[in-house]
Amino acid sequence: MPTDLRPRLHREVTSFVRRSARMRDSQRRAYEGQLGGLVLDVPQGGLRTSVADDAAVLDLAATFGRVAPVVVEIGCGPGDSLVPMARARPDVDVLAFEVFEPAAAALVARLVREDVTNVRVAPVDAVAGLERLVPPASLTEVWTFFPDPWPKLKHHKRRLVDPAFADLVASRLVPGGRWRLATDWAEYADQMRTVVSGHAAFVALPEDREDRPVTRFERRGTAEDRAIADLVYRRVA
Ligand SMILES: C[S@@+](CC[C@H](N)C(=O)[O-])C[C@H]1O[C@@H](n2cnc3c(N)ncnc32)[C@H](O)[C@@H]1O
């Protein structure tokens, strides 16, 4: 496989590039009005999307106002999967990481409009967020749906799913917890299978989309004749 799968020690290469984030004033006001509420007020490092080295680990029960199983979605975009999936599971809480502010703002507006109360949004890099904000062995599931595919070989180092990230996800899942991934890029799906199936902490379960709704990214992949892979892994004890 041509992809560079060596673990990255400090992730100076991120899975996203900074994009200019224009929002309407009303959208920005509504989003910022939720800071400390639906939007977690994460202590930032040098960049808007980074997490301060000394940020405190979240008290998940305090964050959600109850004790319940917690799922993390990484790169939720405007919540096309997240909102229906969270609404269908009122007994579960979902922590959503999204670095692109307009997408996070659209998600927050939708949560308010649809009165979905079991989601909190962390508008920071999910790698730093999982490392610094999420307690070890605290998540029942992690969802990684349509992560940016970075198809060019020279960009493969930006792909989220690599051995170091699999170590991180394994450390945050409870034993028996599941990691669900979806992609429309066959070659990235192969990379995911290699990385996660080859990881001692995971066993592969049958591939299954379960309750994952069709989103814009899936529709685009299907329209361009790409097959969708829905991978499921269990964290072994
Ligand atoms: C291709 S979109 C998929 C969105 C959504 N999961 C879906 O299926 O509709 C990937 C999203 O991941 C976000 N993203 C990429 N790397 C991230 C990271 N390290 N932390 C948080 N969000 C990230 C991007 O900003 C983008 O919104």
Side-chain angles (χ1 to χ4, degrees):
M1 179 179 302
T3 304
D4 183 353
L5 291 179
R6 283 171 301 179
R8 281 158 287 184
L9 291 178
H10 296 300
R11 272 265 178 192
E12 48 294 297
V13 178
T14 56
S15 61
F16 56 93
V17 286
R18 286 161 61 76
R19 291 181 277 170
S20 66
R22 284 206 201 95
M23 286 197 262
R24 289 190 310 277
D25 285 350
S26 58
Q27 194 184 22
R28 181 166 290 284
R29 271 196 304 276
Y31 174 63
E32 288 177 352
Q34 285 293 340
L35 207 56
L38 293 182
V39 182
L40 300 187
D41 197 359
V42 177
Q44 288 161 356
L47 300 172
R48 218 176 157 77
T49 50
S50 61
V51 180
D53 289 343
D54 58 355
V57 173
L58 292 173
D59 174 341
L60 293 173
T63 300
F64 288 97
R66 64 175 180 174
V67 175
V70 177
V71 172
V72 158
E73 177 163 12
I74 291 162
C76 60
D80 293 346
S81 309
L82 171 63
V83 175
M85 289 173 77
R87 208 176 30 211
R89 304 167 182 219
D91 50 332
V92 162
D93 290 325
V94 187
L95 175 59
F97 286 98
E98 175 52 59
V99 280
F100 189 49
E101 259 189 347
L107 165 63
V108 168
R110 188 168 170 191
L111 293 173
V112 171
R113 203 167 51 241
E114 300 187 22
D115 195 23
V116 178
T117 56
N118 58 336
V119 175
R120 298 291 179 273
V121 183
V124 292
D125 178 7
V127 177
L130 273 180
E131 246 168 26
R132 295 180 192 157
L133 303 175
V134 175
S138 61
L139 306 176
T140 55
E141 291 198 9
V142 173
W143 300 338
T144 312
F145 299 144
F146 300 93
D148 295 312
W150 296 109
K152 289 187 185 155
L153 187 59
K154 67 177 180 188
H155 291 147
H156 281 189
K157 58 182 178 294
R158 288 195 176 277
R159 286 181 170 174
L160 192 61
V161 182
D162 72 357
F165 188 65
D167 285 344
L168 181 58
V169 172
S171 71
R172 270 36 186 184
L173 281 168
V174 294
R178 299 189 320 155
W179 188 8
R180 295 176 59 183
L181 307 103
T183 181
D184 56 326
W185 288 87
E187 187 266 328
Y188 197 8
D190 283 344
Q191 175 171 332
M192 292 172 177
R193 289 187 188 99
T194 303
V195 167
V196 193
S197 295
H199 194 291
F202 291 103
V203 288
L205 299 177
E207 298 189 11
D208 189 351
R209 70 176 303 136
E210 302 178 17
D211 55 346
R212 189 182 61 71
V214 178
T215 64
R216 195 157 63 89
F217 292 97
E218 175 166 359
R219 262 192 294 276
R220 189 193 295 165
T222 307
E224 293 172 10
D225 281 337
R226 289 193 293 274
I228 309 299
D230 269 281
L231 313 181
V232 190
Y233 296 90
R234 176 177 296 124
R235 168 79 166 99
V236 293

